[in-house]
Amino acid sequence: MKKYVSIDIGGTAIKYGVIGEDGEILVHEEMPTEAHKGGPSILVKAIKIVGQFCMEHTISGICISTAGMVDTKKGTILYAAPLIPRYTGICLKEPLEKQFQIPCEVENDVNCAGLAEYLSGAGCGCDPMLMLTIGTGIGGCLVTGGQVYHGVSYSACEVGYLHMRGSDFQTLGSASSLCRRVAERKHEPAGEWNGLRIFEEASRGDTACIHAIDEMTDALGLGIANLCYVLNPKMIVLGGGIMAQADYLSARIEKAARSYLIEHMSSALHIRFAKHKNHAGMLGAFYHFKACHPN
C-alpha cells in the first residue's frame, strides 16, 4: 500500500501524519506552528516532519495544506497574513522535492477543507459546493465540476474581505470578532474569552454573550445570502472550531440567511456542518495530491 505524508499548516498548529492510498489516516500528530518565527522556520519544520516519516515508512508523496494564497503549480505562497511573517514568497514544493526526491503538492488550507468535505464529507457529491471556515477570519472554497475553483490569480473565494456594513465579512462574522465583542462589553481582557466559554455562558442566559452570538449569526447569514446570490451553490458547508457549536448555531444561521434571501433562493438553501473537522486539511491535501498524480 502506498503511503503519503500529509501536513496541514495553520497559524497556531501544524497537524501532520501518514495517509494510506485509500485515504485512511494511519498516523496523526500535531506541533505548534510558532508562526512568529516566520516562513523559513515553517519550511524547516516541514522538512523535519517528512524526514521523520521517510525513516519509518516508504513514502510516495508529500501533501501540504497551508494558510495563505497558494500558487498550486509552483507550490509557492503568494500572500500570507502578517500572522506568519516572511511566509509570502516561500516555496514549499521545490525544496521538499529536491530534498527527498518524491513529488510534493501544495494547496490552500480552506480549499483543502472544501475538497475533503466535497469528496467524503458533509457536501459529498453536491455540485457546486461552497465551503466556509469560520475562525480567526473567514475563508471560502468553491468546488464545481469536482474541482476547486481558483480564479485567475489563485485568490477566488477570499470571502472574508467582502465589504459589508462599512466593514468586512470576517470582521463582523468571525469567531475572533465574537470573542473581542464579548470582552469589550464585559470590560475584560480579550484573552479571558474564547468561543467555548461564550457558548457556555450563553446557555446559562448571559445576555452579553447571547447578543454577541446573535450579531455574529446575523452577519454570517447576510454573508451567506450574498454569496448565494452570486454562486447559487447546491450545498454550503460550514467549518472551523466554533462550528462545533452546531446545535446552538444551526437554526440561527439558517434563519438569518433566509431573512436576506428572496423566497425562490431561500427554498433552495441547504446548509450543513463540516464532517472532517481537524482532519479536513490533511485529507484535502491528500485528495489534491491524488488529483495531480492519479497513478
Side-chain angles (χ1 to χ4, degrees), residues 204-228:
R204 297 188 184 106
D206 186 299
T207 55
C209 291
I210 291 170
H211 290 159
I213 293 170
D214 287 344
E215 290 169 356
M216 180 189 73
T217 55
D218 183 68
L220 288 173
L222 176 58
I224 288 169
N226 286 339
L227 290 165
C228 285

CSV table of all heavy atoms in Angstrom, one decimal, residues 204-228:
chain,number,residue,atom,x,y,z
A,204,ARG,N,-26.3,29.7,29.8
A,204,ARG,CA,-26.8,30.0,31.2
A,204,ARG,C,-27.6,31.3,31.2
A,204,ARG,O,-28.0,31.7,32.3
A,204,ARG,CB,-25.6,30.1,32.1
A,204,ARG,CG,-24.8,28.8,32.2
A,204,ARG,CD,-23.7,28.9,33.3
A,204,ARG,NE,-22.9,27.7,33.4
A,204,ARG,CZ,-21.6,27.7,33.0
A,204,ARG,NH1,-21.0,28.7,32.4
A,204,ARG,NH2,-20.9,26.6,33.1
A,205,GLY,N,-27.8,31.9,30.0
A,205,GLY,CA,-28.6,33.1,30.0
A,205,GLY,C,-27.8,34.4,30.0
A,205,GLY,O,-28.5,35.5,30.1
A,206,ASP,N,-26.5,34.4,29.8
A,206,ASP,CA,-25.7,35.6,29.8
A,206,ASP,C,-26.1,36.5,28.6
A,206,ASP,O,-25.9,36.1,27.5
A,206,ASP,CB,-24.2,35.3,29.8
A,206,ASP,CG,-23.4,36.5,29.9
A,206,ASP,OD1,-23.5,37.4,29.0
A,206,ASP,OD2,-22.6,36.6,30.9
A,207,THR,N,-26.7,37.6,28.8
A,207,THR,CA,-27.3,38.4,27.7
A,207,THR,C,-26.2,39.0,26.8
A,207,THR,O,-26.4,39.1,25.6
A,207,THR,CB,-28.2,39.6,28.3
A,207,THR,OG1,-27.4,40.3,29.2
A,207,THR,CG2,-29.4,39.0,29.0
A,208,ALA,N,-25.1,39.4,27.4
A,208,ALA,CA,-24.0,39.9,26.6
A,208,ALA,C,-23.5,38.9,25.6
A,208,ALA,O,-23.3,39.2,24.4
A,208,ALA,CB,-22.8,40.4,27.4
A,209,CYS,N,-23.4,37.6,26.0
A,209,CYS,CA,-22.9,36.6,25.1
A,209,CYS,C,-24.0,36.2,24.1
A,209,CYS,O,-23.7,36.0,22.9
A,209,CYS,CB,-22.5,35.3,26.0
A,209,CYS,SG,-21.1,35.5,27.0
A,210,ILE,N,-25.2,36.2,24.5
A,210,ILE,CA,-26.3,35.9,23.6
A,210,ILE,C,-26.4,36.9,22.5
A,210,ILE,O,-26.5,36.6,21.3
A,210,ILE,CB,-27.7,35.8,24.4
A,210,ILE,CG1,-27.7,34.5,25.3
A,210,ILE,CG2,-28.8,35.7,23.4
A,210,ILE,CD1,-28.8,34.5,26.3
A,211,HIS,N,-26.3,38.2,22.9
A,211,HIS,CA,-26.4,39.2,21.9
A,211,HIS,C,-25.2,39.2,20.9
A,211,HIS,O,-25.4,39.5,19.7
A,211,HIS,CB,-26.5,40.6,22.6
A,211,HIS,CG,-27.8,40.8,23.3
A,211,HIS,ND1,-28.0,41.8,24.3
A,211,HIS,CD2,-29.0,40.2,23.2
A,211,HIS,CE1,-29.2,41.7,24.8
A,211,HIS,NE2,-29.9,40.8,24.1
A,212,ALA,N,-24.0,38.9,21.4
A,212,ALA,CA,-22.9,38.9,20.6
A,212,ALA,C,-23.0,37.7,19.6
A,212,ALA,O,-22.6,37.9,18.4
A,212,ALA,CB,-21.6,38.7,21.4
A,213,ILE,N,-23.5,36.6,20.0
A,213,ILE,CA,-23.7,35.5,19.1
A,213,ILE,C,-24.7,35.8,18.1
A,213,ILE,O,-24.6,35.5,16.9
A,213,ILE,CB,-24.1,34.2,19.9
A,213,ILE,CG1,-22.9,33.7,20.8
A,213,ILE,CG2,-24.5,33.1,18.9
A,213,ILE,CD1,-23.3,32.6,21.8
A,214,ASP,N,-25.8,36.5,18.5
A,214,ASP,CA,-26.8,36.9,17.6
A,214,ASP,C,-26.3,37.8,16.5
A,214,ASP,O,-26.7,37.7,15.3
A,214,ASP,CB,-28.0,37.5,18.3
A,214,ASP,CG,-28.8,36.5,19.1
A,214,ASP,OD1,-28.7,35.3,18.8
A,214,ASP,OD2,-29.6,37.0,20.0
A,215,GLU,N,-25.4,38.7,16.9
A,215,GLU,CA,-24.8,39.6,15.9
A,215,GLU,C,-23.9,38.9,14.9
A,215,GLU,O,-23.9,39.2,13.7
A,215,GLU,CB,-24.0,40.7,16.7
A,215,GLU,CG,-24.9,41.7,17.4
A,215,GLU,CD,-24.1,42.6,18.3
A,215,GLU,OE1,-22.9,42.4,18.5
A,215,GLU,OE2,-24.7,43.5,18.9
A,216,MET,N,-23.2,37.9,15.5
A,216,MET,CA,-22.3,37.1,14.6
A,216,MET,C,-23.1,36.3,13.6
A,216,MET,O,-22.8,36.2,12.4
A,216,MET,CB,-21.4,36.1,15.4
A,216,MET,CG,-20.5,35.3,14.6
A,216,MET,SD,-19.7,34.0,15.5
A,216,MET,CE,-21.1,32.8,15.8
A,217,THR,N,-24.2,35.6,14.1
A,217,THR,CA,-25.0,34.8,13.2
A,217,THR,C,-25.8,35.6,12.2
A,217,THR,O,-25.9,35.2,11.0
A,217,THR,CB,-26.0,33.9,14.0
A,217,THR,OG1,-26.8,34.7,14.8
A,217,THR,CG2,-25.3,32.9,14.8
A,218,ASP,N,-26.1,36.8,12.5
A,218,ASP,CA,-26.8,37.7,11.6
A,218,ASP,C,-25.8,38.1,10.5
A,218,ASP,O,-26.2,38.1,9.3
A,218,ASP,CB,-27.3,39.0,12.3
A,218,ASP,CG,-28.1,39.9,11.3
A,218,ASP,OD1,-29.1,39.5,10.8
A,218,ASP,OD2,-27.5,41.0,11.0
A,219,ALA,N,-24.6,38.4,10.9
A,219,ALA,CA,-23.5,38.8,9.9
A,219,ALA,C,-23.2,37.6,9.0
A,219,ALA,O,-23.1,37.7,7.8
A,219,ALA,CB,-22.3,39.2,10.6
A,220,LEU,N,-23.2,36.4,9.6
A,220,LEU,CA,-22.9,35.2,8.8
A,220,LEU,C,-24.1,34.9,7.8
A,220,LEU,O,-23.9,34.6,6.6
A,220,LEU,CB,-22.8,33.9,9.7
A,220,LEU,CG,-21.4,33.9,10.5
A,220,LEU,CD1,-21.5,32.7,11.5
A,220,LEU,CD2,-20.3,33.7,9.5
A,221,GLY,N,-25.3,35.1,8.3
A,221,GLY,CA,-26.5,35.0,7.4
A,221,GLY,C,-26.4,35.9,6.2
A,221,GLY,O,-26.7,35.5,5.1
A,222,LEU,N,-26.1,37.2,6.5
A,222,LEU,CA,-26.0,38.2,5.4
A,222,LEU,C,-24.9,37.8,4.4
A,222,LEU,O,-25.1,37.8,3.2
A,222,LEU,CB,-25.7,39.6,6.0
A,222,LEU,CG,-25.5,40.7,5.0
A,222,LEU,CD1,-26.7,40.9,4.1
A,222,LEU,CD2,-25.2,42.0,5.7
A,223,GLY,N,-23.7,37.4,4.9
A,223,GLY,CA,-22.7,37.0,4.0
A,223,GLY,C,-23.0,35.8,3.2
A,223,GLY,O,-22.7,35.7,2.0
A,224,ILE,N,-23.6,34.8,3.8
A,224,ILE,CA,-24.1,33.6,3.1
A,224,ILE,C,-25.1,33.9,2.0
A,224,ILE,O,-25.0,33.4,0.9
A,224,ILE,CB,-24.6,32.6,4.1
A,224,ILE,CG1,-23.5,31.9,4.9
A,224,ILE,CG2,-25.4,31.5,3.4
A,224,ILE,CD1,-24.0,31.1,6.1
A,225,ALA,N,-26.0,34.8,2.4
A,225,ALA,CA,-27.0,35.2,1.4
A,225,ALA,C,-26.4,35.9,0.2
A,225,ALA,O,-26.7,35.6,-1.0
A,225,ALA,CB,-28.1,36.1,2.0
A,226,ASN,N,-25.5,36.8,0.5
A,226,ASN,CA,-24.8,37.5,-0.6
A,226,ASN,C,-24.0,36.5,-1.5
A,226,ASN,O,-24.0,36.6,-2.8
A,226,ASN,CB,-23.8,38.5,-0.1
A,226,ASN,CG,-24.5,39.8,0.4
A,226,ASN,OD1,-25.7,40.0,0.1
A,226,ASN,ND2,-23.9,40.5,1.3
A,227,LEU,N,-23.4,35.5,-0.9
A,227,LEU,CA,-22.7,34.5,-1.7
A,227,LEU,C,-23.6,33.7,-2.5
A,227,LEU,O,-23.3,33.3,-3.6
A,227,LEU,CB,-21.8,33.7,-0.8
A,227,LEU,CG,-20.6,34.4,-0.2
A,227,LEU,CD1,-20.0,33.6,1.0
A,227,LEU,CD2,-19.5,34.7,-1.2
A,228,CYS,N,-24.8,33.4,-1.9
A,228,CYS,CA,-25.8,32.6,-2.7
A,228,CYS,C,-26.3,33.3,-3.9
A,228,CYS,O,-26.5,32.7,-4.9
A,228,CYS,CB,-27.0,32.2,-1.8
A,228,CYS,SG,-26.6,30.9,-0.5
